[in-house]
Amino acid sequence: MGEFKVHRVRFFDYMPSGIRALAFNQDTERMAVARMDGSVEVFHCSDRFFQEKIIPGREQCGIEGLSWVGERLFSAGLNGGITEYDLTNQKVKYTIDAYGGPIWTITGNQQGTHLAVGCEDGTVKLFEVNEDQIQFERNLDRQKSRIISLSWHPSGSKIAAGMMDMIQVFNVETGHSIHRMLADRGAGTSRSKECVVWSVVYLSDGTIITGDSVGMVKLWDDQTGTLIKSHNVTKCDVLALSVSQNEDSLVAGTSEGIVVQFQFVSMVLEKDDKEWVRTRTFRNHTHDIRAVAEITTAVVSGGMDAQLVVRPLLDKIEVRSAASALRKIHFPHRRLVSCARKSGLMLFQYPGHLELWRLGESEGKGTPGSSLFVKRNPEKLLQLKVKGEDHIRCSAVSPCGGWIVYSTASTLRLYRLHCDNNNISITKISKLPKVLSSANQLCFSSDSSHLFSASAQSSVHIASLSQSGCKFVGTLKPKSGSHQAIHLLAASEDGKWLASANSDHEVHIYNLQTQKAHCTVPVYSSAVTAMGIHPATNCLFMMHADQQMFEYSIEQKQYTDWSRTVQRKGLHRFWVERDTPCLNVMFNPQNPSHVILHDMYMLCIIDQSLPLPDDKTQFYNQLTLKSLTEEQRKSQSHAFKVCKTFKDRPLHLYVCGLSEEVCFIKRLQIVPC
């Protein structure tokens, strides 16, 4: 496969933010995730949990709860505001103040007509959901302590509220409390501490289920206001509860990092009397679990360890497939690193700042797998802090290393970088075209002469760059009229073509010389996770969330013969059953038949000149091939060469320059392919 000089980059100290809230939309199969830094992510559950939307957070904007109302998403937090999101353009639509102090919880009724929020001042506030915006309607009876948790009865006529030491049940029509149920503080020294009802679930049969700081899951009768049964789950807190759609299963998340499942089952065969029974315990977290959600075939949980865990419920899965695999999602399904290939610079994107580093240099050549002597250590050249409260949405460094650009939800900043040996200077380009107000994705041309900015309604703005500044050239618009945001851009090496991919799974290709739409790739059912244009053939190589790959000839406007062969013969099951999406597509400049891919766990080189493996072929065959002779190796080789020998998960991979140098973010044990 050839040799690569590998840079093991260990100085990107990106730390994902903890998960604070989850909200599942049963109709659209979307899972919304709120993190501690105020960012919101939307995952497509039926498309391998691909992270299709990211709305960056803001400083001092912690989110305490999320709620879907139809296809609209709302959040509330300790800043006292209720926020609705523009999911099409992936930004905040508006925020209104609830005037009740910090908000601890938010929930919508099943009818999609009202939102309820629980506030620090002891009020449950009802908001009517109108077509354009929500409107305050009224308060329910005010309580003496803050409202920690809320749950609507499926009929929308009652609301259960969890507080300090008690649960209140409100009649929504009158606004009055109809039941007050006292929570036991527990035994021993804990009796001096208040019992916090962290989570509450209201079932259609009138059962109210609570999780509290004493470590109990309790069942209450809303008709009599009495305790039905208690389950001692943990010695710590039960922080989150979630019930299945048909109300036959309940999951509880604890501060010990454990998820406990309860099921509503009959204790005696052929009898209708059912009880809630503890059935399973899942241990996939290391810290507090702040949110859980039970979806159709799995339990989803998230917490302070920042990982989103998807635990399949095997009793609800009929056929073993990729859907039955345990998933742990740690990092964004977007690139946080960009590379200036011609100058050996790397730009690292953090929520509130950017870092520019120069790669180190080594001396001489070594044998495959050996470490080379470092002649010059990597060097941090620049740290660029964001002005304002908004976090960075996207960023890029030009291939020549002379330009840096980043965008938040409200502003776009462009800088000219001057590197003269150890002297670094940076100049902000103050006069930018008005159309470059913000971007969903950014990309430079290969010669660094143009900047491409993905804007609203799937359009792309083109700006020319020169010593004198930045000048608007034109706007590329798709023929489809899609309004969805673009999440991927890819420019060709010869500067003739630009490809864009949006959340509608559309891939549009533009001719940069005529500044017109050239063609649209046939829409595939799964989202595009990575793509790149081959520098020699100008073919667009695309990877999808379901692990399928396509190669499209831009000039001929059709799939290539190799791509048709892949779809006809199919991919190896080991490849298709992988549970993490490919995040980058690159090409070996020394061998046009090599396509380089990577995800969070592996590096793969696809040799298009070799035959595809079938399910009977040994897929991970590098060690076997090593022990064979040259002729035997040729007969047993196939197109996929996979390297999984990482000491840690790689975030990103880049081919730097034309000298076959590979740059890994995090640690890679160098082993010949």
Side-chain angles (χ1 to χ4, degrees), residues 89 160 183 357 373 387 403 635 642:
N89 295 306
W357 286 73
F373 177 75
K387 288 187 177 181
W403 299 92
S635 64
V642 179

Side-chain angles (χ1 to χ4, degrees), residues 107-116 124-128 137-138 140 150-160 169-176 178 202-206 222 247:
T107 181
N109 61 3
Q110 289 190 6
Q111 292 73 28
T113 59
H114 288 82
L115 280 170
V124 177
K125 297 179 181 290
L126 296 185
F127 289 81
E128 185 182 3
E137 189 171 280
R138 60 196 172 94
L140 304 185
L150 290 172
S151 180
W152 289 82
H153 187 272
S155 66
S157 61
K158 290 179 280 189
I159 293 180
V169 180
F170 296 94
N171 183 306
V172 174
E173 185 177 349
T174 64
H176 299 315
I178 56 178
Y202 210 153
L203 304 184
S204 57
D205 65 358
D222 75 337
E247 298 185 352

Side-chain angles (χ1 to χ4, degrees), residues 41 46 127 137 140 226 254 284 286 301 326 409 445 450 510 516 594 608 619:
E41 304 159 2
S46 58
F127 289 81
E137 189 171 280
L140 304 185
T226 56
T254 73
N284 300 115
T286 58
S301 56
L326 174 69
S445 61
H450 288 84
Y510 301 96
K516 292 183 178 180
H594 286 182
Q608 294 180 312
F619 189 70

Side-chain angles (χ1 to χ4, degrees), residues 149-154 158-162 166-170 178-181 197 199-211 217-229 241 250 276:
S149 54
L150 290 172
S151 180
W152 289 82
H153 187 272
K158 290 179 280 189
I159 293 180
M166 72 176 70
I167 303 100
Q168 291 274 12
V169 180
F170 296 94
I178 56 178
H179 282 298
R180 185 181 73 164
M181 297 167 281
V197 182
S199 187
V200 59
V201 171
Y202 210 153
L203 304 184
S204 57
D205 65 358
T207 302
I208 298 173
I209 306 176
T210 60
V217 171
K218 297 177 181 178
L219 290 81
W220 308 81
D221 187 337
D222 75 337
Q223 294 296 320
T224 61
T226 56
L227 180 66
I228 301 172
K229 192 173 183 179
L241 295 174
L250 175 86
W276 285 98

Side-chain angles (χ1 to χ4, degrees), residues 281-344:
T281 300
F282 306 127
R283 302 174 185 271
N284 300 115
H285 291 272
T286 58
H287 294 73
D288 297 12
I289 297 174
R290 303 302 298 268
V292 291
E294 184 166 344
I295 63 175
T296 310
T297 60
V299 174
V300 184
S301 56
M304 301 303 293
D305 59 5
Q307 61 180 349
L308 185 70
V309 176
V310 183
R311 179 83 190 201
L313 298 174
L314 298 180
D315 56 329
K316 296 186 178 182
I317 298 174
E318 297 179 358
V319 181
R320 183 182 179 275
S321 64
S324 60
L326 174 69
R327 298 175 189 272
K328 292 185 178 183
I329 302 171
H330 301 84
F331 297 105
H333 294 167
R334 298 286 190 276
R335 285 187 282 177
L336 299 174
V337 178
S338 55
C339 178
R341 294 174 298 170
K342 298 174 183 177
S343 55

Side-chain angles (χ1 to χ4, degrees), residues 24 34 75 83 111 205 219 229 231 253 324 353 392 447 456 481 626:
F24 177 59
S75 74
T83 299
Q111 292 73 28
D205 65 358
L219 290 81
K229 192 173 183 179
H231 294 272
S324 60
H353 71 277
I392 298 174
D447 61 358
K626 254 177 121 177

